[in-house]
Coordinates of all heavy atoms in Angstrom, one line a residue:
V9 N 50.5 31.4 25.2 CA 49.6 32.5 24.9 C 49.4 32.5 23.4 O 50.3 32.5 22.6 CB 50.2 33.8 25.3 CG1 49.3 35.0 24.9 CG2 50.5 33.8 26.8
V10 N 48.1 32.4 23.0 CA 47.7 32.4 21.6 C 47.3 33.8 21.2 O 46.4 34.4 21.9 CB 46.6 31.4 21.3 CG1 46.2 31.4 19.8 CG2 47.0 30.0 21.7
P11 N 47.9 34.3 20.2 CA 47.5 35.7 19.9 C 46.0 35.8 19.5 O 45.4 34.8 19.0 CB 48.3 36.0 18.7 CG 49.4 35.0 18.6 CD 49.0 33.8 19.4
L12 N 45.4 36.8 19.9 CA 44.0 37.0 19.7 C 43.6 37.0 18.3 O 42.6 36.3 17.9 CB 43.6 38.4 20.3 CG 42.1 38.7 20.3 CD1 41.3 37.7 21.1 CD2 41.8 40.1 20.9
R13 N 44.4 37.5 17.4 CA 44.1 37.4 16.0 C 44.1 36.0 15.4 O 43.2 35.6 14.7 CB 45.2 38.3 15.2 CG 45.0 38.3 13.7 CD 43.9 39.2 13.4 NE 43.7 39.2 11.9 CZ 42.6 39.3 11.3 NH1 41.5 39.4 12.0 NH2 42.5 39.3 10.0
T14 N 45.0 35.1 15.9 CA 45.0 33.7 15.5 C 43.7 33.0 16.0 O 43.1 32.2 15.2 CB 46.2 33.0 16.2 OG1 47.4 33.8 15.8 CG2 46.4 31.6 15.7
Q15 N 43.3 33.3 17.2 CA 42.0 32.7 17.7 C 40.8 33.2 16.8 O 40.0 32.4 16.5 CB 41.8 33.1 19.1 CG 42.6 32.4 20.1 CD 42.3 32.7 21.5 OE1 41.7 33.8 21.8 NE2 42.6 31.9 22.5
V16 N 40.8 34.4 16.5 CA 39.7 35.0 15.7 C 39.7 34.3 14.3 O 38.6 33.9 13.8 CB 39.8 36.5 15.5 CG1 38.8 37.0 14.5 CG2 39.5 37.2 16.9
V17 N 40.8 34.1 13.7 CA 40.9 33.5 12.4 C 40.5 32.0 12.5 O 39.7 31.6 11.6 CB 42.4 33.6 11.8 CG1 42.5 32.7 10.6 CG2 42.7 35.1 11.5
R18 N 40.9 31.3 13.5 CA 40.5 29.9 13.7 C 39.0 29.8 13.9 O 38.4 29.0 13.3 CB 41.3 29.3 14.9 CG 41.1 27.9 15.0 CD 42.0 27.3 16.0 NE 42.4 28.2 17.1 CZ 42.1 28.1 18.4 NH1 41.5 27.0 18.8 NH2 42.5 29.0 19.2
L19 N 38.5 30.7 14.7 CA 37.0 30.7 14.9 C 36.2 31.0 13.6 O 35.2 30.4 13.4 CB 36.6 31.6 16.0 CG 37.1 31.2 17.4 CD1 36.8 32.3 18.4 CD2 36.4 29.9 17.9
Q20 N 36.7 31.9 12.8 CA 36.1 32.2 11.6 C 36.1 31.0 10.6 O 35.1 30.8 9.9 CB 36.7 33.4 10.9 CG 36.4 34.8 11.6 CD 37.2 35.9 10.9 OE1 38.2 35.7 10.3 NE2 36.7 37.1 11.2
E21 N 37.2 30.3 10.6 CA 37.3 29.1 9.8 C 36.3 28.1 10.3 O 35.7 27.4 9.5 CB 38.8 28.6 9.9 CG 39.7 29.4 9.1 CD 41.2 29.0 9.3 OE1 41.4 28.1 10.2 OE2 42.1 29.5 8.6
E22 N 36.2 27.9 11.6 CA 35.2 27.0 12.2 C 33.8 27.4 11.8 O 33.0 26.5 11.5 CB 35.3 26.9 13.7 CG 36.5 26.1 14.2 CD 36.6 26.0 15.7 OE1 35.6 26.1 16.3 OE2 37.7 25.9 16.2
V23 N 33.5 28.7 11.8 CA 32.2 29.2 11.4 C 31.9 28.8 10.0 O 30.8 28.4 9.6 CB 32.1 30.7 11.7 CG1 30.9 31.3 11.0 CG2 32.0 31.0 13.2
E24 N 32.9 29.1 9.1 CA 32.7 28.8 7.7 C 32.5 27.3 7.5 O 31.7 26.9 6.7 CB 33.9 29.3 6.9 CG 34.0 30.8 6.8 CD 32.8 31.4 6.2 OE1 32.3 30.9 5.2 OE2 32.4 32.5 6.7
A25 N 33.3 26.5 8.2 CA 33.1 25.0 8.1 C 31.7 24.6 8.6 O 31.1 23.7 7.9 CB 34.2 24.3 8.9
N26 N 31.3 25.2 9.7 CA 30.0 24.8 10.2 C 28.9 25.3 9.2 O 27.8 24.6 9.1 CB 29.8 25.4 11.6 CG 30.5 24.7 12.6 OD1 30.9 23.6 12.5 ND2 30.8 25.4 13.7
K27 N 29.1 26.4 8.6 CA 28.1 26.9 7.6 C 28.0 25.9 6.4 O 26.9 25.6 5.9 CB 28.5 28.3 7.1 CG 28.1 29.4 8.0 CD 28.5 30.8 7.4 CE 28.2 31.9 8.4 NZ 28.6 33.2 7.8
A28 N 29.2 25.4 6.0 CA 29.2 24.5 4.9 C 28.5 23.2 5.3 O 27.7 22.6 4.5 CB 30.6 24.2 4.4
K29 N 28.8 22.7 6.5 CA 28.1 21.5 7.0 C 26.6 21.7 7.1 O 25.8 20.9 6.7 CB 28.6 21.1 8.4 CG 30.0 20.5 8.4 CD 30.4 20.2 9.8 CE 31.9 19.8 9.9 NZ 32.3 19.5 11.3
M30 N 26.2 22.9 7.5 CA 24.8 23.2 7.6 C 24.1 23.3 6.3 O 23.0 22.8 6.1 CB 24.6 24.6 8.3 CG 23.2 24.9 8.7 SD 22.6 23.7 9.8 CE 21.3 24.6 10.6
A31 N 24.8 23.8 5.3 CA 24.2 23.9 3.9 C 24.0 22.5 3.4 O 23.0 22.2 2.8 CB 25.2 24.7 3.0
K32 N 25.0 21.6 3.6 CA 24.9 20.2 3.2 C 23.7 19.5 3.9 O 23.0 18.8 3.3 CB 26.2 19.4 3.5 CG 27.3 19.8 2.5 CD 28.6 18.9 2.8 CE 29.7 19.3 1.9 NZ 30.9 18.6 2.3
L33 N 23.6 19.8 5.2 CA 22.5 19.2 5.9 C 21.1 19.7 5.4 O 20.2 18.9 5.3 CB 22.6 19.4 7.4 CG 23.8 18.7 8.1 CD1 23.9 19.2 9.6 CD2 23.5 17.2 8.1
E34 N 21.1 21.0 5.1 CA 19.8 21.5 4.6 C 19.5 20.9 3.2 O 18.3 20.6 2.9 CB 19.9 23.0 4.5 CG 19.8 23.7 5.8 CD 20.1 25.2 5.8 OE1 20.5 25.7 4.7 OE2 19.8 25.9 6.8
E35 N 20.5 20.7 2.4 CA 20.4 20.1 1.1 C 19.8 18.7 1.3 O 18.9 18.2 0.6 CB 21.7 20.1 0.3 CG 21.6 19.6 -1.1 CD 22.9 19.6 -1.8 OE1 23.7 20.5 -1.5 OE2 23.1 18.8 -2.7
R36 N 20.4 17.9 2.2 CA 20.0 16.5 2.4 C 18.5 16.5 2.9 O 17.7 15.7 2.6 CB 20.9 15.9 3.5 CG 22.2 15.4 2.9 CD 23.1 14.8 4.0 NE 22.4 13.6 4.6 CZ 22.9 13.1 5.7 NH1 23.9 13.5 6.3 NH2 22.2 12.0 6.2
A37 N 18.2 17.5 3.8 CA 16.8 17.6 4.3 C 15.9 17.9 3.2 O 14.8 17.2 3.1 CB 16.7 18.7 5.4
T38 N 16.2 18.7 2.3 CA 15.4 19.0 1.1 C 15.2 17.8 0.2 O 14.1 17.5 -0.2 CB 16.0 20.2 0.3 OG1 16.1 21.3 1.1 CG2 15.1 20.5 -0.9
D39 N 16.3 17.1 0.0 CA 16.3 15.8 -0.8 C 15.3 14.8 -0.1 O 14.5 14.2 -0.8 CB 17.6 15.2 -1.0 CG 18.5 16.1 -1.9 OD1 18.0 16.9 -2.6 OD2 19.7 15.8 -1.9
R40 N 15.4 14.7 1.2 CA 14.6 13.8 1.9 C 13.1 14.2 1.8 O 12.2 13.3 1.7 CB 15.0 13.7 3.4 CG 16.4 13.1 3.6 CD 16.4 11.6 3.5 NE 17.7 11.1 3.5 CZ 18.4 10.6 4.5 NH1 17.8 10.6 5.7 NH2 19.6 10.0 4.4
E41 N 12.8 15.5 1.9 CA 11.5 15.9 1.8 C 10.9 15.6 0.4 O 9.8 15.2 0.3 CB 11.4 17.4 2.0 CG 11.5 17.8 3.5 CD 11.6 19.3 3.7 OE1 11.5 20.1 2.7 OE2 11.7 19.7 4.9
V42 N 11.7 15.7 -0.6 CA 11.3 15.4 -2.0 C 11.1 13.9 -2.1 O 10.1 13.5 -2.6 CB 12.4 15.8 -3.0 CG1 12.1 15.3 -4.4 CG2 12.5 17.4 -3.1
Q43 N 12.0 13.1 -1.5 CA 11.8 11.6 -1.5 C 10.5 11.3 -0.8 O 9.8 10.4 -1.2 CB 13.0 10.9 -0.9 CG 14.2 11.0 -1.8 CD 15.4 10.4 -1.1 OE1 15.4 10.1 0.1 NE2 16.5 10.2 -1.8
L44 N 10.3 11.9 0.4 CA 9.1 11.6 1.1 C 7.8 12.0 0.3 O 6.9 11.2 0.3 CB 9.1 12.5 2.4 CG 7.9 12.3 3.3 CD1 7.8 10.8 3.8 CD2 8.0 13.2 4.5
G45 N 7.9 13.1 -0.4 CA 6.7 13.4 -1.2 C 6.5 12.4 -2.3 O 5.3 12.0 -2.6
K46 N 7.6 11.9 -2.9 CA 7.4 10.8 -3.9 C 6.8 9.5 -3.3 O 6.0 8.9 -3.9 CB 8.8 10.5 -4.6 CG 9.3 11.6 -5.5 CD 10.6 11.3 -6.0 CE 11.2 12.4 -6.9 NZ 12.5 12.1 -7.4
V47 N 7.3 9.2 -2.1 CA 6.9 8.0 -1.5 C 5.4 8.1 -1.1 O 4.6 7.2 -1.3 CB 7.7 7.6 -0.2 CG1 7.1 6.6 0.6 CG2 9.1 7.2 -0.7
E48 N 5.0 9.3 -0.6 CA 3.6 9.5 -0.2 C 2.7 9.4 -1.5 O 1.6 8.9 -1.4 CB 3.5 10.9 0.4 CG 4.0 11.0 1.8 CD 3.9 12.4 2.4 OE1 3.8 13.3 1.7 OE2 4.0 12.5 3.7
A49 N 3.2 10.0 -2.6 CA 2.4 9.9 -3.8 C 2.3 8.5 -4.3 O 1.2 8.0 -4.7 CB 3.0 10.7 -4.9
E50 N 3.4 7.7 -4.2 CA 3.3 6.3 -4.6 C 2.4 5.5 -3.7 O 1.6 4.7 -4.1 CB 4.7 5.7 -4.6 CG 4.8 4.3 -5.0 CD 6.3 3.8 -5.0 OE1 7.2 4.6 -5.1 OE2 6.4 2.6 -4.9
L51 N 2.5 5.8 -2.4 CA 1.6 5.1 -1.4 C 0.1 5.4 -1.7 O -0.7 4.6 -1.6 CB 2.0 5.6 0.0 CG 1.2 4.9 1.1 CD1 1.3 3.4 1.1 CD2 1.6 5.5 2.5
T52 N -0.2 6.7 -2.1 CA -1.5 7.1 -2.4 C -2.0 6.3 -3.6 O -3.2 5.8 -3.6 CB -1.6 8.6 -2.7 OG1 -1.2 9.3 -1.5 CG2 -3.0 9.0 -3.0
V53 N -1.2 6.2 -4.6 CA -1.6 5.4 -5.8 C -1.8 4.0 -5.5 O -2.8 3.4 -5.9 CB -0.5 5.6 -6.9 CG1 -0.7 4.6 -8.1 CG2 -0.4 7.0 -7.4
K54 N -0.9 3.4 -4.7 CA -1.1 2.0 -4.4 C -2.3 1.8 -3.5 O -3.0 0.7 -3.6 CB 0.2 1.5 -3.7 CG 1.4 1.3 -4.6 CD 2.6 0.7 -4.0 CE 3.7 0.5 -5.0 NZ 4.9 -0.1 -4.4
T55 N -2.6 2.7 -2.6 CA -3.8 2.6 -1.7 C -5.0 2.6 -2.6 O -6.0 1.8 -2.4 CB -3.8 3.7 -0.7 OG1 -2.6 3.6 0.1 CG2 -5.0 3.6 0.2
E56 N -5.1 3.5 -3.5 CA -6.2 3.6 -4.4 C -6.4 2.3 -5.3 O -7.5 1.9 -5.4 CB -6.1 4.8 -5.4 CG -6.2 6.2 -4.6 CD -5.9 7.4 -5.5 OE1 -5.5 7.2 -6.7 OE2 -6.1 8.5 -5.0
A57 N -5.2 1.8 -5.7 CA -5.3 0.6 -6.5 C -5.8 -0.6 -5.6 O -6.6 -1.4 -6.1 CB -3.9 0.2 -7.1
L58 N -5.4 -0.6 -4.4 CA -5.8 -1.6 -3.4 C -7.3 -1.5 -3.2 O -8.0 -2.5 -3.2 CB -5.0 -1.5 -2.1 CG -5.4 -2.5 -1.1 CD1 -5.2 -4.0 -1.5 CD2 -4.6 -2.3 0.2
E59 N -7.8 -0.3 -3.0 CA -9.2 -0.1 -2.8 C -10.0 -0.6 -4.0 O -11.1 -1.2 -3.8 CB -9.5 1.4 -2.5 CG -9.0 1.8 -1.1 CD -9.6 1.0 0.0 OE1 -10.8 0.8 0.0 OE2 -8.9 0.7 1.0
K60 N -9.5 -0.3 -5.2 CA -10.2 -0.7 -6.4 C -10.2 -2.2 -6.5 O -11.2 -2.8 -6.9 CB -9.5 -0.1 -7.6 CG -10.2 -0.3 -8.9 CD -9.6 0.4 -10.1 CE -10.3 0.1 -11.4 NZ -9.7 0.7 -12.5
A61 N -9.1 -2.8 -6.2 CA -9.0 -4.3 -6.2 C -9.9 -4.9 -5.2 O -10.6 -5.9 -5.5 CB -7.6 -4.7 -6.0
K62 N -10.1 -4.3 -4.0 CA -11.0 -4.8 -3.0 C -12.4 -4.7 -3.5 O -13.2 -5.7 -3.3 CB -10.8 -4.0 -1.7 CG -9.6 -4.4 -0.9 CD -9.3 -3.5 0.2 CE -10.4 -3.3 1.2 NZ -10.1 -2.4 2.3

Side-chain angles (χ1 to χ4, degrees):
V9 178
V10 178
L12 187 58
R13 179 76 180 144
T14 306
Q15 283 183 339
V16 169
V17 169
R18 187 171 27 119
L19 290 174
Q20 285 175 340
E21 289 171 352
E22 286 181 27
V23 166
E24 291 301 319
N26 286 338
K27 283 182 181 179
K29 288 178 185 177
M30 188 63 154
K32 286 181 182 178
L33 290 174
E34 287 175 347
E35 184 180 332
R36 283 180 57 196
T38 302
D39 290 344
R40 294 282 170 98
E41 287 176 359
V42 169
Q43 289 175 350
L44 179 61
K46 290 177 182 178
V47 169
E48 286 176 341
E50 184 179 336
L51 181 60
T52 300
V53 168
K54 288 183 178 182
T55 301
E56 290 171 356
L58 179 61
E59 290 299 321
K60 185 176 179 180
K62 284 170 54 177

